[in-house]
Amino acid sequence: MAETADRILQAADELFSLRGYAAVSARDIAERAGVNKALIFYYFESKEALFRRVLDQYYEGHVKALELPTEGSYRERLHTLIDHYLDFIEDNYRYLQLVQREIIEGSSRLPYIQQNVMTLYSRVRDLLGDLVPASGALDARQFFVSFSGLINTFYVNAPVLGELWAGQQMDAAQRLARREHLHWIVNTLLDRLESGK
Amino acid sequence: MAETADRILQAADELFSLRGYAAVSARDIAERAGVNKALIFYYFESKEALFRRVLDQYYEGHVKALELPTEGSYRERLHTLIDHYLDFIEDNYRYLQLVQREIIEGSSRLPYIQQNVMTLYSRVRDLLGDLVPASGALDARQFFVSFSGLINTFYVNAPVLGELWAGQQMDAAQRLARREHLHWIVNTLLDRLESGK
DNA sequence: GTCTATATCTCGATAGAC
DNA sequence: GTCTATCGAGATATAGAC
């Protein structure tokens, strides 16, 4: 039944995101999914294949989120790109943790991640255009790293940041405040870059 | 001999940082350290205890790096704090990966990490003082998260960012450029906050 | 302190009854 | 499709000779 495969996939998604690939056993996944352990290897050929399926599900959505908006000024388009990326992250909050873990562990799928990073970077670089120098401390690469860090850090580190908001859950209001903060920073940086031209 | 324990500790540090706790076996550590596997359990009571020792090695330096500078204006002190933190990260590159991994994995040592985070936050909050509102999208918490993300992202994601710099090693010149970029951003944000007062 | 050898466990994966 | 039973490999940890 397709339902069984789905339950395995979802349980695997949750556990891999929580504890990583190596720390999760087939038995763990079977127990959480409420199915027999052997069924994991019946529906998916191996634990490795199951993990790749979990990742593939996210990458599809990720690629869509990276589509470049065509309307408006470069500044409006940059804000739209950031909003689309934030939408995706908030709908798939486990994805960021999975990717972050793969990066730290030096996973074999790192080239795939790099490809996504380069795609996103080229869009930010095109948007910034000749507003920034071609190299040095204010080049497009630096700003791309900065934007990524500004956005991702909030979600990746949510488990420890909870204390900052005094035990409050990371609710919709907080995500909205973060979004507003990010747009304020981007505008402030763009203003300065434009005035410096 | 103390030398043997040190070699085990260093090998464990390197491997845990690279691949994570679960993906590293006692045999891996013994091979890298060039010692007999049984000696790991002679010098450290368990693999878990060895991991804790690795983390504790960094604790002292981390706390020192968080010491608040006393000289200069609030702006100078903020820049100094950032530089001290960057110095620590560059000297203990693996520590950030270990901590980031602990956060993502929801480790049992999370409260210890939160304590360090809160210490650093309270210093940033004191430095920003009444330059920022007490709550909302521009409060001290948001800026603390932003500063952390801006700094950490470069080092945590170094494995995939290499491609951005066209395969160049992350050398001293790149770290310096990043540092300059960070100070530029901080100054730009502070200028805007001051003009808005 | 350092070694070999091994006990005991859990892992991913498979065989085969139903 | 789902189950039980089990394989071989590799894990942590220990025993005991030297």
Side-chain angles (χ1 to χ4, degrees):
Chain A
M1 218 181 296
E3 196 204 324
T4 300
D6 281 346
R7 286 170 64 178
I8 292 171
L9 202 57
Q10 195 186 332
D13 178 4
E14 292 163 6
L15 288 174
F16 285 143
S17 307
L18 271 168
R19 313 209 302 258
Y21 179 80
V24 173
S25 72
R27 174 181 294 166
D28 294 334
I29 296 170
E31 276 176 7
R32 176 173 278 240
V35 304
N36 188 282
K37 181 167 77 82
L39 289 177
I40 290 175
F41 301 94
Y42 175 78
Y43 284 105
F44 307 89
E45 81 171 11
S46 68
K47 181 187 166 187
E48 174 75 23
L50 175 56
F51 183 69
R52 263 186 276 114
R53 279 285 302 277
V54 169
L55 274 186
D56 286 343
Q57 283 206 324
Y58 285 111
Y59 283 136
E60 280 175 39
H62 192 180
V63 169
K64 258 189 76 100
L66 302 192
E67 276 168 16
L68 193 63
T70 53
E71 303 277 307
S73 67
Y74 88 92
R75 188 187 288 240
E76 285 165 348
R77 278 181 288 154
L78 185 54
H79 282 294
T80 303
L81 185 62
I82 289 171
D83 273 329
H84 286 173
Y85 184 69
L86 282 168
D87 289 340
F88 172 73
I89 294 300
E90 288 180 6
D91 288 341
N92 305 273
Y93 69 97
R94 287 197 221 94
Y95 169 73
L96 214 54
Q97 298 194 336
L98 271 174
V99 170
Q100 189 65 72
R101 185 193 307 274
E102 292 252 288
I103 291 172
I104 292 175
E105 286 181 3
S107 137
S108 60
R109 288 165 289 272
L110 220 108
Y112 198 93
I113 296 169
Q114 272 180 327
Q115 191 181 317
N116 275 337
V117 168
M118 289 305 288
T119 301
L120 191 46
Y121 163 65
S122 71
R123 283 169 192 174
V124 170
R125 186 198 54 210
D126 290 346
L127 281 175
L128 289 178
D130 58 359
L131 194 68
V132 295
S135 67
L138 295 183
D139 66 13
R141 293 177 299 193
Q142 295 286 354
F143 280 105
F144 172 70
V145 173
S146 292
F147 292 158
S148 305
L150 283 166
I151 294 171
N152 292 340
T153 195
F154 185 67
Y155 298 94
V156 170
N157 297 308
V160 279
L161 294 178
E163 195 77 10
L164 271 180
W165 274 265
Q168 292 167 44
Q169 283 283 72
M170 199 169 81
D171 59 14
Q174 283 172 36
R175 288 196 295 268
L176 217 76
R178 184 69 199 163
R179 213 178 264 247
E180 193 183 333
H181 177 82
L182 290 172
H183 287 299
W184 180 90
I185 285 190
V186 168
N187 274 328
T188 300
L189 298 181
L190 291 182
D191 286 344
R192 169 72 171 263
L193 285 172
E194 283 182 355
S195 76
K197 280 263 103 176
Chain B
M1 218 180 294
E3 196 205 322
T4 300
D6 281 348
R7 287 170 64 178
I8 292 170
L9 203 56
Q10 195 187 331
D13 178 4
E14 292 163 6
L15 289 175
F16 284 145
S17 306
L18 269 169
R19 312 210 301 258
Y21 178 82
V24 172
S25 73
R27 174 183 295 166
D28 295 334
I29 296 169
E31 277 176 6
R32 176 173 277 241
V35 304
N36 188 281
K37 183 165 75 79
L39 289 177
I40 290 174
F41 301 96
Y42 174 78
Y43 283 105
F44 307 89
E45 82 171 10
S46 68
K47 182 187 166 188
E48 173 83 23
L50 175 56
F51 182 71
R52 270 185 268 115
R53 279 286 300 278
V54 168
L55 269 185
D56 288 342
Q57 287 266 100
Y58 290 105
Y59 181 78
E60 205 181 314
H62 193 177
V63 170
K64 249 190 86 92
L66 303 193
E67 272 170 18
L68 194 62
T70 53
E71 302 278 307
S73 67
Y74 87 91
R75 187 186 289 239
E76 285 164 348
R77 278 182 288 154
L78 184 53
H79 282 294
T80 302
L81 184 62
I82 288 172
D83 274 329
H84 285 175
Y85 184 68
L86 281 167
D87 290 339
F88 173 71
I89 294 300
E90 288 182 5
D91 288 342
N92 304 274
Y93 168 71
R94 289 190 228 99
Y95 178 64
L96 205 58
Q97 296 194 339
L98 271 172
V99 169
Q100 189 65 72
R101 190 192 303 278
E102 292 259 293
I103 291 172
I104 293 174
E105 287 179 2
S107 132
S108 60
R109 297 176 63 83
L110 220 108
Y112 151 76
I113 294 168
Q114 272 181 328
Q115 189 183 317
N116 275 340
V117 168
M118 289 306 287
T119 300
L120 191 45
Y121 164 64
S122 72
R123 282 165 196 179
V124 170
R125 187 198 56 212
D126 291 346
L127 281 175
L128 289 179
D130 58 357
L131 195 67
V132 296
S135 67
L138 296 182
D139 66 14
R141 292 176 300 193
Q142 294 287 354
F143 281 105
F144 172 70
V145 173
S146 291
F147 292 158
S148 306
L150 283 166
I151 295 172
N152 292 339
T153 195
F154 185 67
Y155 298 94
V156 171
N157 296 308
V160 281
L161 294 179
E163 194 76 10
L164 271 180
W165 273 266
Q168 293 166 45
Q169 282 284 71
M170 199 169 81
D171 59 14
Q174 282 172 37
R175 289 197 294 269
L176 217 75
R178 184 67 198 162
R179 213 177 264 247
E180 193 183 333
H181 177 82
L182 290 173
H183 287 300
W184 180 90
I185 285 190
V186 167
N187 274 328
T188 300
L189 298 181
L190 290 182
D191 286 344
R192 171 71 171 263
L193 285 172
E194 283 183 354
S195 76
K197 278 263 105 176

